[in-house]
Amino acid sequence: MQTATVTVEVPVRKPPVPRNGVDTPAVVETIFGVVAKQPELAKFQFRASNQWMTGTHSRTTMKGFSGAGGEHAHLAEFTADGDHPAVLCGADQGPTPVEWVLHALATCLTAGIANIASVRGVTLHRVESRVEGDIDLQGIFGLSKTVRNGYQNVRISFEIEGDAPPEKLREIVEQSRARSAVYDIITNGIPVAVSVAA
Amino acid sequence: MQTATVTVEVPVRKPPVPRNGVDTPAVVETIFGVVAKQPELAKFQFRASNQWMTGTHSRTTMKGFSGAGGEHAHLAEFTADGDHPAVLCGADQGPTPVEWVLHALATCLTAGIANIASVRGVTLHRVESRVEGDIDLQGIFGLSKTVRNGYQNVRISFEIEGDAPPEKLREIVEQSRARSAVYDIITNGIPVAVSVAA
């Protein structure tokens, strides 16, 4: 058989290097080196404990979680408060529960942006976002049978700067959206079971 | 026409009094005295601003919101962090975004329990809850086309003690669920628009 040597150009992904404060090699190894081969390691359970303080004020503690085949604990025990504002007769000892949803969305998308940019070799200079949610309280007040309890619309707008063309930066945000846990939760809904020991 | 005086017993709801740290008369007046007559006052917009710190760590600020026909500000500017834990290659500078969803749910249901118990004349002694969410990270890692990104299931279990029979306490929790903004958001889903300025 005759053979010939030919030269072809194939795209080579840059090897992952730490970037944007992300340990990119560790992220790539975790996903493709470890979890891809042992999918059961991908099963996580996150937990929170909440205690009523007084009025509409309560406090949540977040510490332990399971995943990657074992139990884990955060470096610190995190606590956070929730309350209703004065205009809704609360003591305003913390953000409202619906503001916490906006926080969850923003932190999820932003973490994804940092990881994805790092894997794609893009150095970020700035990522900021603003989230707004419109809600008609006739729902939770029980004053309407047609108005829903939750937000009617949420908008999140990003400003992003980095060493890449705008189109590539927009693609990073879009990929983060497409792989965001919180975006999925709040756009598609999840089953929630409520139980009571009284 | 002949008339006769008869005595009948009709249920009389107790007049609202402050209870459980809730200004019950103000809650009742806000809902039924004010908003029921001017439904446009029920339109609120909540907001959050998020800034990427480094890696998967970002920080959210929550201060201003609109509603009841005007602009409002929390008594304090609230900030909160989000990050990924060490086992997911993050710096663990805050709870994960998906734990914040659990926090939002618990604070919403608990605030509702306090308000509803107060309106129903029930004094609460203790309300605690534990929330768990199961997630398979094959979704966000892009390792599966069938595993979703978000939680597959969330469970919240309440322990509640108060001056009422267990059945009445359970009804209060159920009414809170039925009127919870965050429960609606995460079980039914809401439209979220993502925009980018790059």
Side-chain angles (χ1 to χ4, degrees):
Chain A
M1 185 176 75
Q2 284 185 310
T3 63
T5 300
V6 297
T7 302
V8 295
E9 287 188 40
V10 295
V12 175
R13 179 160 272 192
K14 284 182 255 185
V17 296
R19 193 185 303 270
N20 301 317
V22 172
D23 185 350
T24 321
V27 170
V28 171
E29 172 63 15
T30 297
I31 298 176
F32 301 104
V34 180
V35 180
K37 294 169 185 164
Q38 292 182 265
E40 70 275 16
L41 297 179
K43 290 189 190 304
F44 275 64
Q45 181 185 84
F46 290 99
R47 305 173 194 133
S49 297
N50 181 274
Q51 184 166 21
W52 173 57
M53 307 301 280
T54 187
T56 48
H57 177 205
S58 70
R59 180 167 293 159
T60 300
T61 304
M62 293 159 275
K63 173 74 170 170
F65 59 96
S66 68
E71 276 291 315
H72 302 271
H74 286 299
L75 294 180
E77 180 173 272
F78 299 118
T79 62
D81 291 12
D83 200 355
H84 288 183
V87 69
L88 297 174
C89 311
D92 206 8
Q93 295 299 295
T96 62
V98 289
E99 284 168 296
W100 285 118
V101 172
L102 306 181
H103 168 63
L105 178 65
T107 53
C108 195
L109 290 170
T110 302
I113 288 167
N115 274 342
I116 293 161
S118 303
V119 170
R120 294 185 179 186
V122 173
T123 297
L124 297 170
H125 299 149
R126 184 173 73 92
V127 183
E128 290 183 18
S129 61
R130 180 183 163 90
V131 205
E132 299 173 343
D134 303 320
I135 188 166
D136 185 334
L137 300 185
Q138 289 182 88
I140 66 171
F141 286 169
L143 295 174
S144 166
K145 292 194 175 176
T146 55
V147 174
R148 68 180 299 172
N149 295 326
Y151 285 127
Q152 296 171 316
N153 289 284
V154 162
R155 295 168 297 284
I156 182 164
S157 53
F158 279 94
E159 294 182 20
I160 179 169
E161 294 174 6
D163 286 343
E167 187 49 36
K168 188 159 188 176
L169 295 172
R170 277 193 284 270
E171 286 169 3
I172 289 168
V173 177
E174 166 54 22
Q175 180 63 13
S176 179
R177 186 202 61 74
R179 285 289 163 221
S180 165
V182 175
Y183 180 89
D184 175 31
I185 291 167
I186 70 174
T187 59
N188 294 319
I190 53 168
V192 175
V194 181
S195 63
V196 185
Chain B
M1 183 173 73
Q2 286 185 309
T3 61
T5 301
V6 296
T7 302
V8 295
E9 288 188 39
V10 296
V12 175
R13 179 161 271 194
K14 285 181 256 185
V17 295
R19 194 185 302 271
N20 301 317
V22 173
D23 185 351
T24 321
V27 170
V28 171
E29 172 63 16
T30 297
I31 297 175
F32 301 105
V34 180
V35 179
K37 294 169 184 162
Q38 293 181 264
E40 69 276 14
L41 298 179
K43 291 189 191 302
F44 275 64
Q45 182 185 85
F46 290 99
R47 305 172 194 133
S49 296
N50 181 274
Q51 184 167 22
W52 174 56
M53 307 302 281
T54 186
T56 48
H57 176 206
S58 70
R59 179 168 294 159
T60 300
T61 303
M62 292 159 276
K63 173 76 169 168
F65 59 96
S66 68
E71 275 290 315
H72 302 270
H74 286 298
L75 295 180
E77 180 172 272
F78 299 118
T79 61
D81 292 11
D83 200 355
H84 287 182
V87 69
L88 296 174
C89 311
D92 206 9
Q93 296 299 294
T96 61
V98 287
E99 284 168 297
W100 285 117
V101 171
L102 306 181
H103 167 63
L105 178 66
T107 54
C108 195
L109 291 171
T110 302
I113 288 168
N115 274 342
I116 293 161
S118 303
V119 170
R120 295 187 179 184
V122 173
T123 298
L124 297 171
H125 300 151
R126 184 173 72 93
V127 184
E128 290 183 16
S129 60
R130 181 183 162 89
V131 205
E132 300 174 342
D134 303 319
I135 189 167
D136 185 334
L137 300 185
Q138 289 182 88
I140 65 171
F141 286 169
L143 295 174
S144 167
K145 293 194 172 175
T146 55
V147 175
R148 68 181 299 172
N149 294 326
Y151 284 127
Q152 295 171 317
N153 290 283
V154 162
R155 296 169 297 283
I156 182 163
S157 52
F158 280 94
E159 293 182 20
I160 179 169
E161 294 174 7
D163 286 343
E167 187 50 36
K168 189 159 186 175
L169 295 172
R170 278 192 284 269
E171 287 169 3
I172 290 167
V173 177
E174 167 53 24
Q175 181 64 12
S176 179
R177 186 203 62 75
R179 285 289 164 222
S180 165
V182 175
Y183 180 88
D184 175 32
I185 291 167
I186 71 174
T187 58
N188 294 317
I190 53 168
V192 175
V194 182
S195 63
V196 185

